[in-house]
Amino acid sequence: MRAPIGNFDEARPAADCLDELNPAVAEALRAWRGGVPAEQLLYVDTDPEKADTAVFAETYGPGLLEASANCVVVAGKRGQAVTLAACLVLSTTRVDVNGAVRRHLGVRKASFAPMDTAVGESSMEYGGITPIGLPAGWPVLVDAAVADAPHLVIGSGRRRGKLIVPGKALAELPGAEVLDGLGI
């Protein structure tokens, strides 16, 4: 099957590629109940050495920079309590950590989680963290522009391979909240 965006050799329904995905992502796809049918979530095999967004877009097709979303893990602190959250923004923007994230989580301080924390707590590979399959209870903050996108490339939980999903599927993830101005 041909991917709706990008220049990939082949796109397959992600549910048919569970062995190639991070175990937490595969489990989330097995249990998929969103309004977007699971068959519309696609997997494309990609070179793990080209997983970083700019190199990825250069390799796999013009327009992918604008049609990619990055998932970053943030840590919000209030007193001794730490809240981890995932933030999903278009790759052409950056997360408004000190504004939108801090206010939404109701914390005094918010910052990008250290790489070891993001990788360890998500059980995903750095450079492949995705909002699909995150631990239960994590807030998943989705920029409104992501939710409105027809198709976006996101991580698969590993550096090898990516998922192509409709933006509205991301807005329906467990714990997802759509925010205007999350990406600036």
Side-chain angles (χ1 to χ4, degrees):
M1 147 186 331
R2 181 107 180 105
I5 56 177
N7 299 323
F8 302 99
D9 292 336
E10 178 185 30
R12 297 177 286 158
D16 294 347
C17 306
L18 298 179
D19 290 342
E20 298 176 52
L21 299 171
N22 169 284
V25 175
E27 185 56 37
L29 289 172
R30 279 187 200 94
W32 188 262
R33 300 284 180 264
V36 174
E39 300 79 39
Q40 290 186 24
L41 282 67
L42 303 176
Y43 174 80
V44 291
D45 188 35
T46 59
D47 183 343
E49 296 300 315
K50 298 179 179 177
D52 294 324
T53 306
V55 174
F56 178 83
E58 184 179 306
T59 303
Y60 293 102
L64 283 183
L65 191 58
E66 294 78 17
S68 294
N70 291 331
C71 182
V72 297
V73 178
V74 297
K77 290 184 179 182
R78 184 169 200 85
Q80 300 293 16
V82 176
T83 300
L84 294 178
C87 298
L88 196 61
V89 297
L90 295 176
S91 63
T92 55
T93 65
R94 57 186 170 82
V95 178
D96 183 12
V97 175
N98 291 310
V101 174
R102 187 181 56 74
R103 282 190 304 274
H104 188 78
L105 294 178
V107 296
R108 288 190 157 297
K109 181 180 179 187
S111 59
F112 295 106
M115 182 178 66
D116 291 349
T117 300
V119 169
E121 296 294 323
S122 70
S123 78
M124 298 181 194
E125 292 178 11
Y126 182 73
I129 294 176
T130 185
I132 298 173
L134 289 171
W138 277 33
V140 178
L141 309 180
V142 179
D143 186 76
V146 168
D148 291 341
H151 291 96
L152 290 166
V153 174
I154 61 171
S156 67
R158 294 184 169 160
R159 284 186 68 84
R160 170 168 222 109
K162 298 285 187 182
L163 299 174
I164 298 176
V165 300
K168 62 185 172 184
L170 299 168
E172 296 176 349
L173 289 171
E177 299 179 65
V178 177
L179 301 178
D180 286 318
L182 179 64
I184 53 175

